[in-house]
Amino acid sequence: MNKFDLLVEQATKLINTEPLPDDAEEQLERIIDQAESKPERFMLATFAESLFVIRNQ
């Protein structure tokens, strides 16, 4: 697995954790910051949208 795939896996596990950790947004931001390129950061940012929806259900 390459680094990006591992970051996607980490983000997926985070947003599927029940209950969500209080610092889920911060954890996700740290995951996104580890991306090596701008396109990878944009792709990982979609998890932030998912996290927002989950938080506001």
Side-chain angles (χ1 to χ4, degrees), residues 10-41:
Q10 288 176 2
T12 300
K13 286 181 183 177
L14 176 63
I15 67 167
N16 287 319
T17 302
E18 288 189 27
L20 280 173
D22 291 337
D23 67 338
E25 289 81 4
E26 291 82 12
Q27 289 183 44
L28 184 57
E29 189 64 36
R30 286 193 296 272
I31 292 169
I32 293 169
D33 287 345
Q34 293 178 50
E36 295 178 351
S37 68
K38 197 170 188 175
E40 287 180 353
R41 285 190 289 278

Side-chain angles (χ1 to χ4, degrees), residues 1-16 28 31 40 43-44 47:
M1 249 187 212
N2 65 32
K3 182 176 180 179
F4 178 70
D5 290 338
L6 292 173
L7 294 174
V8 169
E9 186 176 310
Q10 288 176 2
T12 300
K13 286 181 183 177
L14 176 63
I15 67 167
N16 287 319
L28 184 57
I31 292 169
E40 287 180 353
M43 286 186 267
L44 288 168
F47 285 97

